[in-house]
Amino acid sequence: MQFPLVHVSWALADNAGRPACDAFFREVFGAQTAHEILITPETEKMGLDREESLLMVGDAMLIPIAPAGGGAREGSPLGDMLRRSAAPHRWIGVALKVADLAEADAWFAARGFKRHYDPGMEAFYFLVPRGQALGMRLEIVRQDMPGDPRRDPEWRPAADHRLGIEGLQALGVSTPSLEEARALFAEKLEWPEIGARDLPEARCAAFAMGDTVLEALEGAEGSAVAAHACDVKGICHLVFKVRDAGETARNLRAQGLPLIGDTATRFAIDPDAAHGRLIWFTDQVPQGYPATGSRLGEISRPA
């Protein structure tokens, strides 16, 4: 079963910090706002418990989410989840698109996954909790995200993106061992393994998860990746493909941002200067990796 990526999300503990986070991605990454979900007198009466901006970076959607309204109060289920999840290098997870939710439910059930349905949303999505996917929550959705430009067959990301971003190449998940990752991603989820290589920070096995790549990372004992797999779990990085790594690095340094890694091939903004997110840039395409580009529109539009 193919699972085009809908979005990647992470949590902020306090809504007061969300505007600065959103502004960082707009100003540095050239993110475009597809939609905003905000507390108003009307939405608060309806029980809205969060605020979020749906940010398009190239053709990938990123969503930082903060508790608000009823979610700002201790004891709110969603607010408490966001506060628990709000930490540097910790992400909530991914949303993946399916055409038929009942068929997807049966597919996951046949593979031994427990599914969670939020009351009243049974026709729209279900969750595979993070404990079943190496700390990465899977949200399996049928509906389109509001304002998602990828539904329009004529839409294309801005060609003059300030960082030369061509698309989301991969997302990385830390793992205690590549064998455990292969048992989950290749065997249970049936995502084909498309390559393995050594990165400076970890051993990496790559899996084709739909229209992007899942990189499982096994770090050496005592490494940051190994610590992430033990203490944080789940997604540890994103990788964006850019036209020219050197040019992207010069652009970021001109904005006063500290960089880590090899600016000639694969590097990132220091997470301490990027709201706790590790996001790599590269102009290299590892052997076996597909060309970047969202295929969400193929499943979002009627045949």
Side-chain angles (χ1 to χ4, degrees), residues 189-215:
L189 284 168
E190 300 179 11
W191 296 346
E193 184 171 350
I194 57 175
R197 71 192 197 281
D198 289 331
L199 295 171
E201 70 272 23
R203 296 171 58 214
C204 172
F207 305 88
M209 95 180 192
D211 54 359
T212 191
V213 173
L214 188 292
E215 295 179 336

PDB file of all heavy atoms in Angstrom, residues 189-215:
ATOM      1  N   LEU A 189       5.677  -3.205   7.727  1.00  0.00           N
ATOM      2  CA  LEU A 189       5.021  -2.170   6.930  1.00  0.00           C
ATOM      3  C   LEU A 189       5.228  -2.359   5.426  1.00  0.00           C
ATOM      4  O   LEU A 189       4.608  -1.666   4.624  1.00  0.00           O
ATOM      5  CB  LEU A 189       5.528  -0.787   7.354  1.00  0.00           C
ATOM      6  CG  LEU A 189       4.949  -0.266   8.673  1.00  0.00           C
ATOM      7  CD1 LEU A 189       5.725   0.957   9.158  1.00  0.00           C
ATOM      8  CD2 LEU A 189       3.476   0.072   8.523  1.00  0.00           C
ATOM      9  N   GLU A 190       6.116  -3.267   5.054  1.00  0.00           N
ATOM     10  CA  GLU A 190       6.354  -3.608   3.647  1.00  0.00           C
ATOM     11  C   GLU A 190       6.855  -2.421   2.837  1.00  0.00           C
ATOM     12  O   GLU A 190       6.486  -2.243   1.674  1.00  0.00           O
ATOM     13  CB  GLU A 190       5.091  -4.214   3.020  1.00  0.00           C
ATOM     14  CG  GLU A 190       4.629  -5.478   3.719  1.00  0.00           C
ATOM     15  CD  GLU A 190       3.367  -6.081   3.121  1.00  0.00           C
ATOM     16  OE1 GLU A 190       2.952  -5.634   2.024  1.00  0.00           O
ATOM     17  OE2 GLU A 190       2.791  -6.988   3.740  1.00  0.00           O
ATOM     18  N   TRP A 191       7.701  -1.594   3.450  1.00  0.00           N
ATOM     19  CA  TRP A 191       8.360  -0.510   2.729  1.00  0.00           C
ATOM     20  C   TRP A 191       9.688  -1.049   2.220  1.00  0.00           C
ATOM     21  O   TRP A 191      10.564  -1.414   3.023  1.00  0.00           O
ATOM     22  CB  TRP A 191       8.578   0.701   3.641  1.00  0.00           C
ATOM     23  CG  TRP A 191       7.297   1.319   4.123  1.00  0.00           C
ATOM     24  CD1 TRP A 191       6.040   1.109   3.650  1.00  0.00           C
ATOM     25  CD2 TRP A 191       7.165   2.270   5.190  1.00  0.00           C
ATOM     26  NE1 TRP A 191       5.120   1.864   4.346  1.00  0.00           N
ATOM     27  CE2 TRP A 191       5.773   2.584   5.298  1.00  0.00           C
ATOM     28  CE3 TRP A 191       8.064   2.891   6.059  1.00  0.00           C
ATOM     29  CZ2 TRP A 191       5.284   3.480   6.240  1.00  0.00           C
ATOM     30  CZ3 TRP A 191       7.572   3.776   7.000  1.00  0.00           C
ATOM     31  CH2 TRP A 191       6.204   4.083   7.089  1.00  0.00           C
ATOM     32  N   PRO A 192       9.909  -1.130   0.931  1.00  0.00           N
ATOM     33  CA  PRO A 192      11.121  -1.757   0.406  1.00  0.00           C
ATOM     34  C   PRO A 192      12.387  -1.043   0.872  1.00  0.00           C
ATOM     35  O   PRO A 192      12.448   0.190   0.896  1.00  0.00           O
ATOM     36  CB  PRO A 192      10.957  -1.624  -1.117  1.00  0.00           C
ATOM     37  CG  PRO A 192       9.493  -1.409  -1.331  1.00  0.00           C
ATOM     38  CD  PRO A 192       9.001  -0.663  -0.130  1.00  0.00           C
ATOM     39  N   GLU A 193      13.386  -1.829   1.255  1.00  0.00           N
ATOM     40  CA  GLU A 193      14.684  -1.232   1.572  1.00  0.00           C
ATOM     41  C   GLU A 193      15.387  -0.887   0.261  1.00  0.00           C
ATOM     42  O   GLU A 193      15.496  -1.726  -0.633  1.00  0.00           O
ATOM     43  CB  GLU A 193      15.550  -2.184   2.399  1.00  0.00           C
ATOM     44  CG  GLU A 193      16.865  -1.552   2.824  1.00  0.00           C
ATOM     45  CD  GLU A 193      17.654  -2.375   3.830  1.00  0.00           C
ATOM     46  OE1 GLU A 193      17.104  -3.363   4.364  1.00  0.00           O
ATOM     47  OE2 GLU A 193      18.815  -2.023   4.083  1.00  0.00           O
ATOM     48  N   ILE A 194      15.846   0.353   0.152  1.00  0.00           N
ATOM     49  CA  ILE A 194      16.424   0.825  -1.111  1.00  0.00           C
ATOM     50  C   ILE A 194      17.903   1.159  -0.985  1.00  0.00           C
ATOM     51  O   ILE A 194      18.513   1.594  -1.964  1.00  0.00           O
ATOM     52  CB  ILE A 194      15.661   2.050  -1.642  1.00  0.00           C
ATOM     53  CG1 ILE A 194      15.636   3.183  -0.614  1.00  0.00           C
ATOM     54  CG2 ILE A 194      14.244   1.655  -2.058  1.00  0.00           C
ATOM     55  CD1 ILE A 194      15.005   4.464  -1.124  1.00  0.00           C
ATOM     56  N   GLY A 195      18.480   0.940   0.186  1.00  0.00           N
ATOM     57  CA  GLY A 195      19.912   1.203   0.298  1.00  0.00           C
ATOM     58  C   GLY A 195      20.359   1.257   1.742  1.00  0.00           C
ATOM     59  O   GLY A 195      19.559   1.420   2.659  1.00  0.00           O
ATOM     60  N   ALA A 196      21.662   1.106   1.925  1.00  0.00           N
ATOM     61  CA  ALA A 196      22.275   1.236   3.249  1.00  0.00           C
ATOM     62  C   ALA A 196      23.630   1.912   3.057  1.00  0.00           C
ATOM     63  O   ALA A 196      24.319   1.673   2.064  1.00  0.00           O
ATOM     64  CB  ALA A 196      22.435  -0.127   3.905  1.00  0.00           C
ATOM     65  N   ARG A 197      23.959   2.778   4.008  1.00  0.00           N
ATOM     66  CA  ARG A 197      25.240   3.475   3.923  1.00  0.00           C
ATOM     67  C   ARG A 197      25.622   3.995   5.304  1.00  0.00           C
ATOM     68  O   ARG A 197      24.806   4.000   6.222  1.00  0.00           O
ATOM     69  CB  ARG A 197      25.173   4.624   2.914  1.00  0.00           C
ATOM     70  CG  ARG A 197      24.339   5.825   3.343  1.00  0.00           C
ATOM     71  CD  ARG A 197      24.112   6.732   2.133  1.00  0.00           C
ATOM     72  NE  ARG A 197      23.687   8.078   2.483  1.00  0.00           N
ATOM     73  CZ  ARG A 197      22.457   8.429   2.821  1.00  0.00           C
ATOM     74  NH1 ARG A 197      21.511   7.507   2.871  1.00  0.00           N
ATOM     75  NH2 ARG A 197      22.164   9.689   3.091  1.00  0.00           N
ATOM     76  N   ASP A 198      26.868   4.411   5.403  1.00  0.00           N
ATOM     77  CA  ASP A 198      27.351   5.007   6.637  1.00  0.00           C
ATOM     78  C   ASP A 198      27.321   6.522   6.507  1.00  0.00           C
ATOM     79  O   ASP A 198      27.850   7.084   5.539  1.00  0.00           O
ATOM     80  CB  ASP A 198      28.786   4.552   6.940  1.00  0.00           C
ATOM     81  CG  ASP A 198      28.845   3.091   7.362  1.00  0.00           C
ATOM     82  OD1 ASP A 198      27.847   2.605   7.931  1.00  0.00           O
ATOM     83  OD2 ASP A 198      29.880   2.440   7.122  1.00  0.00           O
ATOM     84  N   LEU A 199      26.677   7.167   7.457  1.00  0.00           N
ATOM     85  CA  LEU A 199      26.708   8.620   7.581  1.00  0.00           C
ATOM     86  C   LEU A 199      27.686   8.990   8.686  1.00  0.00           C
ATOM     87  O   LEU A 199      28.039   8.135   9.509  1.00  0.00           O
ATOM     88  CB  LEU A 199      25.305   9.145   7.914  1.00  0.00           C
ATOM     89  CG  LEU A 199      24.243   8.945   6.842  1.00  0.00           C
ATOM     90  CD1 LEU A 199      22.861   9.311   7.379  1.00  0.00           C
ATOM     91  CD2 LEU A 199      24.571   9.776   5.602  1.00  0.00           C
ATOM     92  N   PRO A 200      28.140  10.238   8.733  1.00  0.00           N
ATOM     93  CA  PRO A 200      29.069  10.606   9.802  1.00  0.00           C
ATOM     94  C   PRO A 200      28.524  10.320  11.199  1.00  0.00           C
ATOM     95  O   PRO A 200      29.293   9.997  12.112  1.00  0.00           O
ATOM     96  CB  PRO A 200      29.270  12.108   9.583  1.00  0.00           C
ATOM     97  CG  PRO A 200      29.025  12.313   8.123  1.00  0.00           C
ATOM     98  CD  PRO A 200      27.948  11.331   7.772  1.00  0.00           C
ATOM     99  N   GLU A 201      27.204  10.418  11.364  1.00  0.00           N
ATOM    100  CA  GLU A 201      26.628  10.271  12.700  1.00  0.00           C
ATOM    101  C   GLU A 201      26.053   8.892  12.987  1.00  0.00           C
ATOM    102  O   GLU A 201      25.725   8.586  14.148  1.00  0.00           O
ATOM    103  CB  GLU A 201      25.539  11.336  12.926  1.00  0.00           C
ATOM    104  CG  GLU A 201      24.262  11.145  12.130  1.00  0.00           C
ATOM    105  CD  GLU A 201      24.266  11.774  10.747  1.00  0.00           C
ATOM    106  OE1 GLU A 201      25.359  11.994  10.198  1.00  0.00           O
ATOM    107  OE2 GLU A 201      23.163  12.036  10.232  1.00  0.00           O
ATOM    108  N   ALA A 202      25.908   8.018  11.967  1.00  0.00           N
ATOM    109  CA  ALA A 202      25.224   6.751  12.214  1.00  0.00           C
ATOM    110  C   ALA A 202      25.273   5.853  10.989  1.00  0.00           C
ATOM    111  O   ALA A 202      25.525   6.311   9.869  1.00  0.00           O
ATOM    112  CB  ALA A 202      23.761   7.010  12.591  1.00  0.00           C
ATOM    113  N   ARG A 203      24.981   4.564  11.203  1.00  0.00           N
ATOM    114  CA  ARG A 203      24.689   3.656  10.107  1.00  0.00           C
ATOM    115  C   ARG A 203      23.251   3.896   9.681  1.00  0.00           C
ATOM    116  O   ARG A 203      22.364   4.120  10.502  1.00  0.00           O
ATOM    117  CB  ARG A 203      24.868   2.205  10.538  1.00  0.00           C
ATOM    118  CG  ARG A 203      26.288   1.816  10.915  1.00  0.00           C
ATOM    119  CD  ARG A 203      26.317   0.422  11.531  1.00  0.00           C
ATOM    120  NE  ARG A 203      25.775  -0.570  10.621  1.00  0.00           N
ATOM    121  CZ  ARG A 203      25.081  -1.641  11.020  1.00  0.00           C
ATOM    122  NH1 ARG A 203      24.790  -1.822  12.293  1.00  0.00           N
ATOM    123  NH2 ARG A 203      24.658  -2.522  10.133  1.00  0.00           N
ATOM    124  N   CYS A 204      23.000   3.860   8.372  1.00  0.00           N
ATOM    125  CA  CYS A 204      21.690   4.242   7.837  1.00  0.00           C
ATOM    126  C   CYS A 204      21.168   3.161   6.901  1.00  0.00           C
ATOM    127  O   CYS A 204      21.896   2.680   6.025  1.00  0.00           O
ATOM    128  CB  CYS A 204      21.814   5.572   7.087  1.00  0.00           C
ATOM    129  SG  CYS A 204      20.334   6.064   6.170  1.00  0.00           S
ATOM    130  N   ALA A 205      19.911   2.765   7.109  1.00  0.00           N
ATOM    131  CA  ALA A 205      19.181   1.925   6.155  1.00  0.00           C
ATOM    132  C   ALA A 205      17.985   2.722   5.679  1.00  0.00           C
ATOM    133  O   ALA A 205      17.267   3.318   6.483  1.00  0.00           O
ATOM    134  CB  ALA A 205      18.738   0.619   6.799  1.00  0.00           C
ATOM    135  N   ALA A 206      17.779   2.759   4.374  1.00  0.00           N
ATOM    136  CA  ALA A 206      16.737   3.600   3.779  1.00  0.00           C
ATOM    137  C   ALA A 206      15.601   2.745   3.229  1.00  0.00           C
ATOM    138  O   ALA A 206      15.835   1.695   2.621  1.00  0.00           O
ATOM    139  CB  ALA A 206      17.334   4.452   2.667  1.00  0.00           C
ATOM    140  N   PHE A 207      14.374   3.231   3.439  1.00  0.00           N
ATOM    141  CA  PHE A 207      13.166   2.506   3.015  1.00  0.00           C
ATOM    142  C   PHE A 207      12.259   3.453   2.234  1.00  0.00           C
ATOM    143  O   PHE A 207      12.079   4.615   2.612  1.00  0.00           O
ATOM    144  CB  PHE A 207      12.417   1.962   4.235  1.00  0.00           C
ATOM    145  CG  PHE A 207      13.265   1.100   5.123  1.00  0.00           C
ATOM    146  CD1 PHE A 207      14.016   1.666   6.148  1.00  0.00           C
ATOM    147  CD2 PHE A 207      13.336  -0.269   4.926  1.00  0.00           C
ATOM    148  CE1 PHE A 207      14.819   0.883   6.961  1.00  0.00           C
ATOM    149  CE2 PHE A 207      14.140  -1.064   5.738  1.00  0.00           C
ATOM    150  CZ  PHE A 207      14.884  -0.485   6.761  1.00  0.00           C
ATOM    151  N   ALA A 208      11.678   2.953   1.142  1.00  0.00           N
ATOM    152  CA  ALA A 208      10.745   3.737   0.340  1.00  0.00           C
ATOM    153  C   ALA A 208       9.375   3.660   0.991  1.00  0.00           C
ATOM    154  O   ALA A 208       8.719   2.626   0.957  1.00  0.00           O
ATOM    155  CB  ALA A 208      10.694   3.195  -1.088  1.00  0.00           C
ATOM    156  N   MET A 209       8.932   4.789   1.606  1.00  0.00           N
ATOM    157  CA  MET A 209       7.693   4.723   2.351  1.00  0.00           C
ATOM    158  C   MET A 209       6.505   5.265   1.565  1.00  0.00           C
ATOM    159  O   MET A 209       5.377   5.194   2.025  1.00  0.00           O
ATOM    160  CB  MET A 209       7.849   5.416   3.703  1.00  0.00           C
ATOM    161  CG  MET A 209       7.453   6.816   3.827  1.00  0.00           C
ATOM    162  SD  MET A 209       7.738   7.363   5.545  1.00  0.00           S
ATOM    163  CE  MET A 209       6.871   8.896   5.470  1.00  0.00           C
ATOM    164  N   GLY A 210       6.732   5.761   0.386  1.00  0.00           N
ATOM    165  CA  GLY A 210       5.650   6.295  -0.442  1.00  0.00           C
ATOM    166  C   GLY A 210       6.252   7.256  -1.429  1.00  0.00           C
ATOM    167  O   GLY A 210       6.864   6.850  -2.415  1.00  0.00           O
ATOM    168  N   ASP A 211       6.117   8.558  -1.147  1.00  0.00           N
ATOM    169  CA  ASP A 211       6.737   9.553  -2.018  1.00  0.00           C
ATOM    170  C   ASP A 211       7.930  10.228  -1.343  1.00  0.00           C
ATOM    171  O   ASP A 211       8.398  11.261  -1.795  1.00  0.00           O
ATOM    172  CB  ASP A 211       5.715  10.599  -2.473  1.00  0.00           C
ATOM    173  CG  ASP A 211       4.996  11.258  -1.309  1.00  0.00           C
ATOM    174  OD1 ASP A 211       5.269  10.896  -0.145  1.00  0.00           O
ATOM    175  OD2 ASP A 211       4.150  12.137  -1.564  1.00  0.00           O
ATOM    176  N   THR A 212       8.414   9.629  -0.268  1.00  0.00           N
ATOM    177  CA  THR A 212       9.667  10.079   0.339  1.00  0.00           C
ATOM    178  C   THR A 212      10.369   8.862   0.918  1.00  0.00           C
ATOM    179  O   THR A 212       9.904   7.731   0.765  1.00  0.00           O
ATOM    180  CB  THR A 212       9.420  11.175   1.405  1.00  0.00           C
ATOM    181  OG1 THR A 212      10.664  11.765   1.775  1.00  0.00           O
ATOM    182  CG2 THR A 212       8.745  10.593   2.647  1.00  0.00           C
ATOM    183  N   VAL A 213      11.494   9.084   1.578  1.00  0.00           N
ATOM    184  CA  VAL A 213      12.335   7.998   2.077  1.00  0.00           C
ATOM    185  C   VAL A 213      12.381   8.068   3.595  1.00  0.00           C
ATOM    186  O   VAL A 213      12.485   9.147   4.179  1.00  0.00           O
ATOM    187  CB  VAL A 213      13.760   8.105   1.489  1.00  0.00           C
ATOM    188  CG1 VAL A 213      14.699   7.087   2.132  1.00  0.00           C
ATOM    189  CG2 VAL A 213      13.719   7.906  -0.023  1.00  0.00           C
ATOM    190  N   LEU A 214      12.298   6.907   4.231  1.00  0.00           N
ATOM    191  CA  LEU A 214      12.481   6.795   5.671  1.00  0.00           C
ATOM    192  C   LEU A 214      13.902   6.298   5.905  1.00  0.00           C
ATOM    193  O   LEU A 214      14.266   5.211   5.451  1.00  0.00           O
ATOM    194  CB  LEU A 214      11.444   5.827   6.247  1.00  0.00           C
ATOM    195  CG  LEU A 214      11.279   5.647   7.759  1.00  0.00           C
ATOM    196  CD1 LEU A 214      12.464   4.968   8.418  1.00  0.00           C
ATOM    197  CD2 LEU A 214      10.963   6.954   8.431  1.00  0.00           C
ATOM    198  N   GLU A 215      14.707   7.096   6.596  1.00  0.00           N
ATOM    199  CA  GLU A 215      16.069   6.707   6.938  1.00  0.00           C
ATOM    200  C   GLU A 215      16.108   6.249   8.388  1.00  0.00           C
ATOM    201  O   GLU A 215      15.849   7.034   9.305  1.00  0.00           O
ATOM    202  CB  GLU A 215      17.036   7.881   6.745  1.00  0.00           C
ATOM    203  CG  GLU A 215      17.163   8.312   5.299  1.00  0.00           C
ATOM    204  CD  GLU A 215      18.104   9.481   5.096  1.00  0.00           C
ATOM    205  OE1 GLU A 215      18.325  10.259   6.058  1.00  0.00           O
ATOM    206  OE2 GLU A 215      18.627   9.628   3.970  1.00  0.00           O
TER     207      GLU A 215
END
